[in-house]
Amino acid sequence: MNLQEQIRDYLKPAGKQVISLVEEDIEFLSSHIESDEKIISATTSWKRATFFLYLLTSKKILTSEKIKKEKNLISYDLNAISNLIVNRKFLSVEVMFTHLKNEIKIKLNSDDATKAFADELENNFGISEKPIPKKKEKVPKAIKLNMTILNGKEQIKESGFNYVLQQTKHGYIDIVVDFKEPETFKLIKWERVENVQKSASSIVGWTVIGSKFGNAGAIAGAMGANIGKDKSVATLFLKRENGEKVPLVIKCDKKDLEKLSLLIVAEEEEIIQADVTPSPATSIPTEELIKLKELLDVGILTQEEFDAKKKQLLGI
């Protein structure tokens, strides 16, 4: 197969009509192919109501232009080409590159011949496939809540009058006091509680596993005094970076509870670790029993509830 037949073979996907319109170019460009040069691909471009032939060889990109009815060769040495970009559009394929400090832009027809031509260019210049864009990590919608803290205020590093809870990261909340720098906590869980007794008992459970939250009777008393008509409260179980546990009891209304329901808590493993820390089987849970007795003395627990919990703790 001679050079002209090779070029026509590469142009077959564009159709016989296109080939017939560039026969003059086929003859002209094939005469400029060197003996040690190999034709790799061919395609056409439509501009100024005329078809133009483009050849990709092992050494060059070749085309021609007509000046005063005379054909002139245009040649781009592959070794002098850099920053080549192939931009595939619906109706055309644009090839842009730098050749000897000149910016070159070629607009090719959009057909199967050009597709093969563009693929060979990319292969020749080692252009990798476009990376699949990574999915953006979903950022939780910022949740902001003005808090009325019934118990646990003394555990916040900053003291003040205005306490704001906000969450912008999964599993963590910031607490801002009087518009100062926020303190960040891991949110282990939160619980809505509609009666003081259950909430106090829940906090006692956390006290047993290491929280320095204080006297359970004082908790219940303060809660009862501050709740008022709306007896809905929530307990936030938080943890500092150093592992210190910080339970907060806050007053809630309907809107507050809706916001709390949107909070995203930390991993389940953390919840299990915070809620279920078994006591050694060989030791008597004296501290827990003392807390239960305090709840009984202030009337939070009935005698029956105290006895049931006592038997549970003692494993009776």
Side-chain angles (χ1 to χ4, degrees):
M1 184 184 294
N2 62 36
L3 293 177
Q4 292 186 22
E5 289 175 342
Q6 289 181 42
I7 295 170
R8 292 188 189 96
D9 194 53
Y10 282 120
L11 291 177
K12 277 183 181 178
K16 291 182 179 180
Q17 185 177 3
V18 172
I19 296 173
S20 67
L21 293 171
V22 293
E23 280 292 350
E24 189 179 339
D25 282 357
I26 292 174
E27 183 179 351
F28 175 74
L29 292 183
S30 62
S31 67
H32 289 82
I33 302 296
E34 299 172 9
S35 58
D36 62 342
E37 194 172 4
K38 179 183 177 182
I39 298 173
I40 296 174
S41 189
T43 190
T44 57
S45 173
W46 169 261
K47 56 186 175 182
R48 298 190 296 274
T50 305
F51 273 92
F52 292 84
L53 176 65
Y54 280 87
L55 297 183
L56 173 63
T57 76
S58 55
K59 292 184 176 183
K60 300 183 284 285
I61 296 175
L62 298 174
T63 188
S64 64
E65 62 180 358
K66 191 175 276 190
I67 301 176
K68 295 180 181 181
K69 297 184 179 181
E70 291 291 329
K71 280 190 176 293
N72 291 307
L73 179 71
I74 298 175
S75 176
Y76 304 108
D77 187 348
L78 295 185
N79 291 329
I81 290 177
S82 61
N83 304 320
L84 186 137
I85 298 172
V86 176
N87 189 8
R88 302 167 194 263
K89 296 187 176 181
F90 180 66
L91 296 175
S92 65
V93 173
E94 290 182 350
V95 178
M96 294 166 284
F97 55 85
T98 303
H99 182 261
L100 299 176
K101 298 184 179 180
N102 296 313
E103 299 298 324
I104 308 299
K105 183 176 181 180
I106 301 171
K107 191 173 183 179
L108 303 172
N109 296 330
S110 183
D111 54 37
D112 289 342
T114 296
K115 181 180 181 298
F117 188 90
D119 289 345
E120 290 293 347
L121 277 176
E122 291 183 329
N123 290 336
N124 187 82
F125 286 92
I127 300 172
S128 59
E129 295 182 8
K130 293 180 180 179
I132 300 172
K134 293 181 180 180
K135 290 184 179 180
K136 291 184 178 179
E137 183 180 349
K138 290 185 178 180
V139 178
K141 185 178 178 181
I143 300 167
K144 191 174 182 180
L145 171 66
N146 291 310
M147 295 190 300
T148 300
I149 301 177
L150 302 176
N151 276 97
K153 191 181 293 186
E154 68 279 1
Q155 294 193 102
I156 307 298
K157 289 181 179 178
E158 295 282 356
S159 59
F161 300 95
N162 183 53
Y163 293 82
V164 178
L165 174 153
Q166 57 190 21
Q167 183 177 66
T168 57
K169 181 182 178 183
H170 291 167
Y172 294 86
I173 64 167
D174 293 329
I175 294 180
V176 182
V177 182
D178 292 345
F179 310 103
K180 299 175 184 176
E181 285 294 315
E183 183 180 2
T184 301
F185 298 86
K186 181 178 284 189
L187 176 61
I188 304 302
K189 66 172 182 173
W190 74 273
E191 290 181 352
R192 177 189 175 184
V193 184
E194 293 188 353
N195 66 77
V196 178
Q197 177 179 315
K198 184 177 179 183
S199 185
S201 299
S202 179
I203 296 167
V204 170
W206 240 43
T207 302
V208 169
I209 62 169
S211 172
K212 300 176 182 178
F213 192 58
N215 183 282
I219 294 171
M223 287 168 59
N226 287 290
I227 290 173
K229 293 182 180 180
D230 185 353
K231 293 188 177 181
S232 185
V233 298
T235 308
L236 304 177
F237 294 86
L238 313 177
K239 186 185 284 188
R240 286 193 169 97
E241 189 177 344
N242 62 7
E244 180 185 356
K245 297 178 177 68
V246 180
L248 296 179
V249 180
I250 65 172
K251 182 180 177 180
C252 300
D253 57 22
K254 185 178 179 181
K255 289 183 178 179
D256 294 334
L257 290 169
E258 287 175 355
K259 289 182 180 180
L260 288 173
S261 68
L262 299 174
L263 293 176
I264 299 173
V265 299
E267 297 177 1
E268 186 178 353
E269 289 78 4
E270 284 286 352
I271 298 173
I272 295 171
Q273 183 181 354
D275 279 345
V276 185
T277 302
S279 300
T282 56
S283 63
I284 298 175
T286 308
E287 194 173 335
E288 291 182 79
L289 291 172
I290 292 172
K291 300 298 182 184
L292 286 175
K293 185 60 168 64
E294 289 175 344
L295 292 175
L296 176 64
D297 293 341
V298 298
I300 300 289
L301 296 178
T302 64
Q303 185 65 48
E304 290 76 15
E305 290 172 330
F306 172 81
D307 292 340
K309 187 66 177 176
K310 178 181 176 182
K311 288 180 179 179
Q312 181 184 345
L313 291 172
L314 295 175
I316 300 174

